Amino acid sequence: MHEINSHLIKLVKDMGLELHFVDMERSGIYFAEEKAIFISNQLLDGNSDFEISHELAHCIEKHEEFSALYHATNYSRQKLEFEANRIAIDILLFIWCNEYDFEKEHLNAVKFMEYYRIPSNLESCVRETMSNYG
């Protein structure tokens, strides 16, 4: 079982949210009304930090205000999901660099993505974020 990053847990709590691991099919979901993030307990065996950060990003960006848009078209849903992924990468990169005291020139996108189990289709986003970091 992977331990959730303590800085990430603090961020969730500082935002006034609860974090719950539950038995569900989807990997995670943010419920604004309950002020809670629900993560699939299937992720407990690996690193769930990316999924937690992704759902936290929905909260940060107040995506619940765009619920109708989210469900209106596939394009609008993908746009909001990509925004949440980008912010999740920002959050984790900040934690990664501060925990391990990495300098920008020593960042390794592949190791970062493997550690946080970031989907490979987000590699260009990770690399762009790293190039703009600091």
Side-chain angles (χ1 to χ4, degrees):
M1 182 199 281
H2 177 82
E3 190 171 317
I4 301 166
N5 184 284
S6 62
H7 298 291
L8 193 54
I9 291 173
K10 183 180 181 327
L11 186 55
V12 168
K13 289 182 180 182
D14 286 351
M15 300 226 21
L17 301 172
E18 293 183 10
L19 179 62
H20 302 281
F21 282 86
V22 297
D23 187 24
M24 64 180 186
E25 290 298 314
R26 60 189 304 169
S27 55
I29 191 166
Y30 162 62
F31 281 112
E33 294 169 359
E34 284 88 22
K35 292 189 173 274
I37 293 172
F38 295 89
I39 302 294
S40 171
N41 59 15
Q42 296 174 6
L43 296 178
L44 285 170
D45 290 337
N47 191 330
S48 58
D49 292 352
F50 177 73
E51 190 60 42
I52 294 167
S53 298
H54 173 93
E55 298 306 330
L56 186 59
H58 284 300
C59 173
I60 291 168
E61 290 299 304
K62 300 183 188 310
H63 282 173
E64 69 275 9
E65 295 174 3
F66 302 102
S67 180
L69 180 65
Y70 184 92
H71 296 287
T73 67
N74 190 42
Y75 174 79
S76 57
R77 183 174 52 32
Q78 287 178 346
K79 187 174 180 181
L80 292 171
E81 289 298 328
F82 182 78
E83 183 177 40
N85 286 335
R86 185 184 48 75
I87 293 167
I89 291 166
D90 285 338
I91 292 168
L92 294 175
L93 186 58
F94 178 80
I95 291 171
W96 176 268
C97 288
N98 286 292
E99 272 198 8
Y100 300 107
D101 199 28
F102 279 123
E103 297 294 325
K104 181 178 178 176
E105 57 273 4
H106 295 113
L107 293 175
N108 183 309
V110 173
K111 287 182 181 179
F112 176 76
M113 291 177 68
E114 286 175 351
Y115 181 80
Y116 286 114
R117 293 188 172 184
I118 297 172
S120 60
N121 65 313
L122 295 174
E123 183 177 354
S124 62
C125 184
V126 168
R127 290 187 184 280
E128 181 181 337
T129 302
M130 285 183 165
S131 70
N132 295 328
Y133 187 77

